[in-house]
Amino acid sequence: MPNDNVVIKFNKVSFDFGIKKPVLDEVDFSIRRGSKFALMGQNGAGKTTLFNLISQKYIPEIGSIVIEQGLSIAYSRQVIPRDQMEYTIREFFEKLFPKKIYDIDPRIKEALKIVNLSIPSDRIVKTLSGGQQARLLLASALIQKPDILLLDEPTNNLDTEGLSHLTKFLVDYKKTCIVISHDAEFLNAFTDGVLYLDIFTHKIEKYMGNYLNVVQEISARIERERRQNVRLENEIMHRKEQASFFDQKGGHMRDVAKKMKEAISKLEEEKVNMREEDKTIRKFAIPCGENIEGKILTIHSVSLISKDKAIVKKINITLKQKTHLLVSGPNGIGKTTFLNDIASEKSKHSEIAKGVRIGYYRQDFGELDPEKTIYESLVEIAGNTTEETVRSVAAGFLLNAEDLKHQVKNISEGQKGLVVFARLVLQRPDLLILDEPTNHINFRHIPIIAEALDKYAGAMILVSHIPDFVKKIRIDETLDLLALLNKK
């Protein structure tokens, strides 16, 4: 239970990435020792930036951030930096500390045990699955034994067992914790309240209580604001009509019209700026080429991982148009390797028909060049599509003209996901390969994405650990890799 000691306090904090990209505007809030908060906000609102401010990677331009003296902070990020992928597990942990840690091996063992990850210390980071990397990121924070734990999308790529293990750990966790996640049930299990970052006002609103109740409270507040604006709009329109009528009468009636215009100005000030979080991506469709008849993909076998050994299992799966395949299995069994193998078009385990265009949503966004702008990233895949169409598709995914100028490396992981979906719309793939496509995505967008995938008319392979998402999508066949591995 939290106590009365304040361990984090923001005093009138403002921060931005240039005039056109404000993040925080005179933000005030405090966090008490032992409390656990969810941090909410639209993709690109600045949630990760807030964590960088708390961890002192960024310094506020105005105001101050006070952290109780002597407290340590550890930040579990969304993804492992590319320049750390070649490290061994031991090197990855050693780099976390400014000085040499002489008991690093037992500390690594303890941290990995907490996150239920069994891997040798000489294993190379890039050889881990997405789920194993997610557990490694969490372990990298826990090994520091911090007083304040910051978790950025810790459930991404976790299988059911991993999610259950993490949830239990956080329920039992006695120290201060702030978590960014779009998994409502996960957050509801352990949080004491919500920090709500409004992308429009750049303020933080603090709510106490059960996570699901807080979400309902926020939704109810948005609806009240919407109704208030509708009422004020109607009244403003009515008074404008009256002011126009009196203006035309001339004489002293113009004084009446003037007073009415002053009243209208006051009513305009009463209107509430509607929250940008209320926006969702537009409904969309991913077109397919529709020029491939018969077999699009034939899979003869699959290489699975068991106790760090590759085991090849024979299968017989054929995908044609309108055939959706779900691939399931625990972290580390080889799902991403299986997808990468198919997407490479050089697989020994499968055959792709000639002329098939592959659209691949990689969980690490490896298909995106970090140095290119969003606009360049879309244009490179769009073929002969007009600029007007490219910009229209981008707008449907909440990527406006200003966003299109930003380099991919400078946008949030959630925005990267939306960029990939925009690319898929422009690409018109015959074969769609999706590796955890809901990672980092705002929960408001997920039903719209599920509907688009459900209606996709090409061949599709999907990997997802989110049952509610999968239920919304037509699945014609399931490849259970664990059952296949255990099959004699």
Side-chain angles (χ1 to χ4, degrees), residues 19 38 45 70 76 96 159 163 291 308 313 324 329 333 395 415 485:
I19 296 173
S76 175
L96 298 169
D159 56 19
L163 179 58
N291 58 346
D308 291 332
K313 292 283 187 174
H324 295 177
I333 199 169
Q415 286 175 307
L485 182 65

Side-chain angles (χ1 to χ4, degrees), residues 15 22-23 39 163 173 188 206 249 253 310 373-374 383 435 461:
F15 185 85
V23 179
L39 176 57
L163 179 58
Y173 191 63
N188 200 54
K206 181 178 172 182
K249 291 291 183 181
M253 288 296 184
T373 64
I374 294 177
D435 194 358
I461 305 175

Side-chain angles (χ1 to χ4, degrees), residues 141-204:
L142 299 182
I143 197 173
Q144 300 173 63
K145 299 182 178 178
D147 299 297
I148 300 170
L149 180 61
L150 307 177
L151 303 179
D152 198 346
E153 301 284 7
T155 64
N156 282 347
N157 300 314
L158 287 185
D159 56 19
T160 304
E161 181 186 14
L163 179 58
S164 175
H165 202 84
L166 174 59
T167 303
K168 184 180 185 305
F169 170 79
L170 290 173
V171 167
D172 297 337
Y173 191 63
K174 303 302 181 186
K175 296 184 179 181
T176 308
C177 183
I178 307 176
V179 183
I180 300 171
S181 175
H182 293 115
D183 188 329
E185 289 188 18
F186 166 70
L187 292 171
N188 200 54
F190 64 89
T191 52
D192 304 308
V194 167
L195 299 174
Y196 185 86
L197 177 51
D198 189 321
I199 197 172
F200 188 84
T201 64
H202 312 295
K203 302 288 189 184
I204 291 235

Side-chain angles (χ1 to χ4, degrees), residues 293-336:
E293 296 182 359
K295 297 177 181 178
I296 291 177
L297 171 67
T298 303
I299 308 172
H300 305 295
S301 58
V302 57
S303 179
L304 304 177
I305 305 299
S306 177
K307 298 178 181 178
D308 291 332
K309 294 181 179 179
I311 299 174
V312 176
K313 292 283 187 174
K314 291 185 177 180
I315 55 176
N316 184 19
I317 293 176
T318 298
L319 299 186
K320 303 178 180 179
Q321 282 192 354
K322 299 182 180 179
T323 308
H324 295 177
L325 171 68
L326 175 68
V327 180
S328 65
N331 293 145
I333 199 169
K335 298 186 297 297
T336 295

Side-chain angles (χ1 to χ4, degrees), residues 165-444:
H165 202 84
L166 174 59
T167 303
K168 184 180 185 305
F169 170 79
L170 290 173
V171 167
D172 297 337
Y173 191 63
K174 303 302 181 186
K175 296 184 179 181
T176 308
C177 183
I178 307 176
V179 183
I180 300 171
S181 175
H182 293 115
D183 188 329
E185 289 188 18
F186 166 70
L187 292 171
N188 200 54
F190 64 89
T191 52
D192 304 308
V194 167
L195 299 174
Y196 185 86
L197 177 51
D198 189 321
I199 197 172
F200 188 84
T201 64
H202 312 295
K203 302 288 189 184
I204 291 235
E205 298 165 4
K206 181 178 172 182
Y207 296 84
M208 298 300 297
N210 173 284
Y211 176 80
L212 294 179
N213 288 344
V214 168
V215 171
Q216 288 180 347
E217 182 181 345
I218 293 170
S219 298
R221 179 171 172 177
I222 290 172
E223 179 58 21
R224 287 196 301 271
E225 291 171 352
R226 187 192 67 79
R227 289 179 180 178
Q228 177 184 345
N229 281 359
V230 169
R231 179 182 62 79
L232 289 170
E233 283 287 1
N234 290 337
E235 190 171 348
I236 288 168
M237 188 178 298
H238 176 64
R239 295 206 179 195
K240 280 182 177 179
E241 290 172 355
Q242 287 183 321
S244 178
F245 173 78
F246 288 124
D247 248 345
Q248 293 172 5
K249 291 291 183 181
H252 74 279
M253 288 296 184
R254 288 184 178 173
D255 293 332
V256 176
K258 183 180 179 181
K259 290 181 179 179
M260 283 190 168
K261 288 175 183 177
E262 291 172 356
I264 289 169
S265 295
K266 290 181 180 179
L267 290 173
E268 290 280 7
E269 291 174 2
E270 290 181 30
K271 287 170 62 179
V272 178
N273 287 320
M274 287 304 293
R275 298 158 187 261
E276 300 251 331
E277 282 78 9
D278 220 8
K279 290 185 178 180
T280 58
I281 59 176
R282 287 200 302 253
K283 287 190 176 185
F284 67 98
I286 300 174
C288 63
E290 298 180 358
N291 58 346
I292 307 294
E293 296 182 359
K295 297 177 181 178
I296 291 177
L297 171 67
T298 303
I299 308 172
H300 305 295
S301 58
V302 57
S303 179
L304 304 177
I305 305 299
S306 177
K307 298 178 181 178
D308 291 332
K309 294 181 179 179
I311 299 174
V312 176
K313 292 283 187 174
K314 291 185 177 180
I315 55 176
N316 184 19
I317 293 176
T318 298
L319 299 186
K320 303 178 180 179
Q321 282 192 354
K322 299 182 180 179
T323 308
H324 295 177
L325 171 68
L326 175 68
V327 180
S328 65
N331 293 145
I333 199 169
K335 298 186 297 297
T336 295
T337 302
F338 173 62
L339 299 185
N340 285 339
D341 191 47
I342 293 171
S344 73
E345 300 186 68
K346 299 176 182 178
S347 173
K348 298 178 181 178
H349 304 288
S350 61
E351 296 172 3
I352 297 176
K354 189 176 181 181
V356 167
R357 186 182 295 133
I358 300 173
Y360 190 6
Y361 187 114
R362 296 172 56 114
Q363 61 174 248
D364 64 356
F365 303 123
E367 68 273 48
L368 300 178
D369 183 338
E371 299 301 322
K372 288 186 175 180
T373 64
I374 294 177
Y375 179 74
E376 290 168 340
S377 183
L378 297 179
V379 168
E380 73 177 358
I381 204 78
N384 296 324
T385 306
T386 65
E387 179 178 351
E388 182 181 1
T389 299
V390 170
R391 290 184 179 276
S392 176
V393 169
F397 289 96
L398 304 182
L399 302 167
N400 60 36
E402 190 61 34
D403 293 327
L404 294 180
K405 299 175 185 176
H406 296 149
Q407 287 179 292
V408 168
K409 67 182 180 182
N410 293 328
I411 64 176
S412 72
E413 299 300 303
Q415 286 175 307
K416 289 176 187 175
L418 297 181
V419 170
V420 175
F421 276 114
R423 282 167 55 98
L424 293 174
V425 171
L426 294 166
Q427 186 185 9
R428 305 174 65 88
D430 305 291
L431 172 61
L432 189 57
I433 301 175
L434 302 146
D435 194 358
E436 300 289 1
T438 59
N439 282 358
H440 317 290
I441 297 290
N442 189 304
F443 68 92
R444 292 180 177 85

